Amino acid sequence: MTDFAYSPVTPEVVEELRALLSPGQVTIDEEKRAAYSRDEVTACSWDRPYLAEVLVFPEFTAQVAAVLRFADERRIPVTPRGAGTGLSGGAVPAFGGIVLSLERMNAILEMDVDNLCITVEPGVVTSEITRAAAAAGLLYAGDPCSGDASFIGGNIAENAGGNKVIKYGSTGASVLALEVVLADGSVTWFGGKRRKDVTGYDFVKLLVGSEGTLGVVTKAILKLVPLPERIVDLLVPFPDAASAVAVVPRIMREGSILPSSVEFMDALSVQLAERFLNRPVPHSDRAGAYLLIQIEGNDRNALADDYERIGRFCLEHGALEVFVADNRTMRDRLWKIRKNLTEAAWAFFPPEYADEDIVVPTSAIPEFLDRLGEICARHGTVPQTMGHVGDGNLHATIFFSGGTPPDWKRRLAALQQELYPIVKALGGTLTGEHGVGLKRREDVSLFLDEAQMALIRRVKLAFDPHNILNPGKIVPWT
């Protein structure tokens, strides 16, 4: 495979960048560079330190284009960065160079209610889009659990999933168009406000989830849908995971109900959340798993019929009880549990862990959980499992149960090498929404054959011939 030689960021390069932008938009401060050279993946997971040589903070598209044109001419790697909430090392500068932060490009540019869309810059916090849409009586359906912190640009780069995928799809299902700066500084639009378009290749779908390796998104037009008038959430404890998972297809198949969310939480997750939030959760002493089910509608009586039918199905499958939250305060209390599960685990376990983003067919989830438990027991670890059971995406965080051993990296790697073939055999894959990035790159070959990886490399070089955009991510190059 082609070798890429990158140029260092010299003092002269820094001065040229300051002239290109402004002194306040470029920094080499060591503390800031360290902060902007990591995401939410624990730093001790890496085999060596990764550090940006310079940070730049463009404020509009022309400045992004100028930086990329400059970097491409000089063969300096550029790592685009959003809020740094990612869980794949996608924003980690694997080859140093320039970290290009998009945090200052944070405007909502247009709310187009006639065409049911909103135009935003990449540094807008996701929940701000949700609130802006709701103020217009509309819904932006992208709803990652990190929505209060993550930027929409990062959601697009990773094709973030989240809580509403079962009904509305991942982030990409809501992206109509993208303004993108290519590696050579060219600026182009893919897509538009139209809902249908087969004029050429669908580059919008290609760019979404490309992890910043093909271009830098500087504007996005997002699809909006009518805002449901009523929302009801159900918290349902079950004695075990198998019972909880088995009811999900029945709700949709026999009940003819498509929930907007079906979230899974194992017993450990809920118990940790109880301690973290200092708030009791019903049946936490005997439940083996929980479902958090959300349904939407405009008719109060029809919605009541739906949640009563769901409740009946759950009880027939062994649910211990069904708790109904039909007002904002109660619903927020339930979702606070779900959205704090990761932070709760981080609070009570040491930072040396493996964070998995597994996807399997929904029917395979019970077997996956059983096999995961067996493997973790053999390796002296404990799995905390939660996720979006409606689409088969489970987040398993694997901790050491008796203190962190000195060879923890080797032991977690051995555990993963035992776990991933099982995931593949069950019809699953390596990541559903967090991305491959740097973290999972060396394991991707188990799930993608060499023909696919070669095609990924060719597509990458078609967009970025000098491989300056977020190099070192997704697939190995040697």
Side-chain angles (χ1 to χ4, degrees):
M1 182 52 63
T2 305
D3 291 325
F4 298 96
Y6 297 118
S7 300
V9 175
T10 63
E12 292 75 20
V13 166
V14 174
E15 290 309 310
E16 289 183 78
L17 286 169
R18 285 176 173 152
L20 201 61
L21 303 176
S22 73
Q25 292 175 271
V26 179
T27 183
I28 55 172
D29 178 82
E30 186 172 355
E31 186 175 342
K32 286 187 176 180
R33 286 189 293 126
Y36 281 78
S37 296
R38 59 177 182 262
D39 62 6
E40 292 292 344
V41 178
T42 177
C44 56
S45 295
W46 306 123
D47 56 350
R48 62 185 184 277
Y50 293 98
L51 185 65
E53 295 169 81
V54 62
L55 309 178
V56 300
F57 299 86
E59 296 177 0
F60 44 87
T61 299
Q63 289 187 332
V64 175
V67 170
L68 290 189
R69 190 178 305 113
F70 175 89
D72 191 52
E73 290 171 355
R74 289 157 181 77
R75 308 296 191 265
I76 299 171
V78 179
T79 303
R81 178 185 171 87
T85 59
L87 290 163
S88 69
V92 172
F95 290 89
I98 300 168
V99 163
L100 186 145
S101 170
L102 296 157
E103 64 187 57
R104 298 186 187 180
M105 298 179 66
N106 58 4
I108 295 177
L109 300 172
E110 182 190 30
M111 173 67 70
D112 186 343
V113 296
D114 292 331
N115 288 304
L116 294 177
C117 60
I118 184 171
T119 304
V120 300
E121 291 184 319
V124 177
V125 176
T126 311
S127 60
E128 292 180 4
I129 300 171
T130 305
R131 287 192 291 270
L138 298 169
L139 171 68
Y140 171 62
D143 186 26
C145 282
S146 63
D148 289 336
S150 63
F151 292 170
I152 187 62
N155 294 172
I156 292 168
E158 302 295 344
N159 195 14
N163 309 312
K164 296 181 181 291
V165 170
I166 187 173
K167 184 173 184 179
Y168 297 106
S170 297
T171 295
S174 296
V175 177
L176 295 174
L178 298 171
E179 180 188 72
V180 177
V181 182
L182 301 177
D184 64 358
S186 302
V187 180
T188 188
W189 272 95
F190 298 112
K193 292 183 179 181
R194 51 198 176 266
R195 293 305 200 265
K196 298 175 72 175
D197 186 347
V198 292
T199 309
Y201 294 131
D202 191 345
F203 285 113
V204 173
K205 291 293 191 293
L206 179 60
L207 266 293
V208 174
S210 63
E211 304 190 24
T213 63
L214 303 182
V216 178
V217 172
T218 47
K219 293 184 182 69
I221 300 176
L222 306 173
K223 179 175 70 176
L224 304 177
V225 297
L227 183 70
E229 294 180 10
R230 303 183 186 281
I231 300 174
V232 174
D233 289 304
L234 308 177
L235 180 67
V236 190
F238 287 84
D240 53 65
S243 301
V245 173
V247 78
V248 175
R250 187 176 177 192
I251 290 170
M252 293 182 281
R253 185 180 66 248
E254 298 179 35
S256 299
I257 301 167
L258 181 60
S260 51
S261 300
V262 184
E263 296 293 292
F264 173 89
M265 301 176 285
D266 70 3
L268 177 60
S269 297
V270 172
Q271 291 161 6
L272 292 174
E274 274 191 314
R275 292 173 58 194
F276 183 71
L277 298 172
N278 195 26
R279 179 182 300 168
V281 179
H283 298 293
S284 62
D285 59 334
R286 61 193 186 105
Y290 289 75
L291 293 182
L292 179 55
I293 304 169
Q294 183 177 94
I295 55 174
E296 306 167 331
N298 296 324
D299 183 276
R300 182 190 298 272
N301 293 328
L303 201 60
D305 288 343
D306 284 347
Y307 73 68
E308 287 174 5
R309 193 177 312 130
I310 291 172
R312 184 171 65 252
F313 288 147
C314 290
L315 292 170
E316 290 172 357
H317 273 267
L320 303 176
E321 199 167 349
V322 178
F323 298 90
V324 179
D326 57 2
N327 62 65
R328 180 61 180 269
T329 300
M330 294 174 64
R331 292 193 297 106
D332 285 349
R333 286 176 66 88
L334 294 186
W335 279 100
K336 192 168 185 179
I337 297 169
R338 171 62 185 90
K339 292 191 175 186
N340 278 275
L341 295 182
T342 299
E343 287 75 10
W346 290 346
F348 297 113
F349 281 98
E352 296 81 16
Y353 57 82
D355 183 24
E356 304 300 328
D357 180 41
I358 297 300
V359 186
V360 295
T362 302
S363 61
I365 289 176
E367 182 175 353
F368 167 75
L369 292 174
D370 286 344
R371 301 292 294 277
L372 174 64
E374 294 169 2
I375 293 171
C376 286
R378 285 199 297 274
H379 289 269
T381 57
V382 175
Q384 179 222 21
T385 312
M386 57 186 172
H388 320 296
V389 69
D391 54 58
N393 186 192
L394 292 176
H395 305 311
T397 308
I398 299 169
F399 301 93
F400 285 96
S401 55
T404 305
D407 61 341
W408 67 274
K409 288 185 182 180
R410 181 194 62 78
R411 290 177 60 173
L412 285 180
L415 184 154
Q416 290 165 330
Q417 295 312 303
E418 192 174 344
L419 178 65
Y420 293 158
I422 292 171
V423 171
K424 184 177 181 180
L426 291 173
T429 193
L430 184 62
T431 176
E433 60 182 7
H434 291 167
V436 176
L438 185 62
K439 174 182 171 62
R440 301 177 177 89
R441 180 189 62 189
E442 300 307 317
D443 297 302
V444 78
S445 60
L446 178 63
F447 297 90
L448 301 179
D449 61 28
E450 184 51 44
Q452 292 184 64
M453 291 195 292
L455 184 58
I456 289 171
R457 296 182 190 108
R458 293 201 300 274
V459 169
K460 162 69 168 166
L461 294 181
F463 277 79
D464 178 16
H466 301 129
N467 197 23
I468 67 159
L469 271 176
N470 212 8
K473 311 297 168 63
I474 302 181
V475 295
W477 281 78
T478 56

